[in-house]
Amino acid sequence: MEFRRFEISAFRCFKDSVVIDNIGDGITLIVGDNEEGKSTVLAALQTVLFEKHSVGGAVAAAMLPFGSKVRPEITLDFDHDGVRYRLYKAFCQKPEASLEAESGNRWSG
C-alpha cells in the first residue's frame, strides 16, 4: 500500500483543511517546529485507517478542535496492487465512511 494524498479537516489542532499531496514512493518525512501538528497528522492517519466512523464518547470528543462542534473529516488516497482507492471518514455529527476504487466501485458504512 502506497499513500498518495492525505486530507484532514476539523481534526484536533486543524480547524481548516490541511492537504498533504503528491506523496511519492519511498520515505516521506513530516518536518516542522513544535506544536505545528506533526503528531496530529499521524493521529489522523491512524484514525482513518483503524477507528470506526461511528465511534463516540471521549474518543470522538478528542478529535474535535478546541471549543468547536464541527465534523472531523479525513480522506486518504492510496494505491494497492496497482489500483487507486479513496478512503473517507467523517466523525461526530453525521458519521460516515466510504471506500471508493478508481474503477467506480464504492463501499460505504
Side-chain angles (χ1 to χ4, degrees):
M1 177 187 295
E2 296 89 25
F3 300 153
R4 298 300 179 206
R5 183 178 185 277
F6 191 45
E7 183 172 356
I8 308 163
S9 178
F11 185 85
R12 288 176 44 173
C13 69
F14 299 126
K15 289 185 179 182
D16 297 322
S17 183
V18 173
V19 177
I20 300 172
D21 208 356
N22 298 319
I23 303 171
D25 295 336
I27 296 174
T28 300
L29 298 176
I30 300 172
V31 180
D33 291 333
N34 290 343
E35 301 299 320
E36 285 193 346
K38 299 177 301 293
S39 295
T40 299
V41 168
L42 295 177
L45 182 60
Q46 180 178 350
T47 299
V48 76
L49 289 172
F50 301 111
E51 202 67 65
K52 290 185 177 183
H53 66 285
S54 58
V55 68
V59 175
M63 294 179 198
L64 297 170
F66 181 75
S68 297
K69 296 196 183 292
V70 292
R71 183 180 188 212
E73 298 180 30
I74 307 169
T75 304
L76 175 65
D77 292 356
F78 63 93
D79 294 342
H80 181 66
D81 286 339
V83 178
R84 177 72 47 103
Y85 293 90
R86 173 167 285 170
L87 176 61
Y88 169 80
K89 288 186 182 176
F91 303 89
C92 300
Q93 297 106 11
K94 293 183 169 182
E96 179 183 350
S98 66
L99 177 65
E100 186 173 340
E102 66 185 346
S103 64
N105 290 341
R106 188 171 194 272
W107 303 268
S108 61

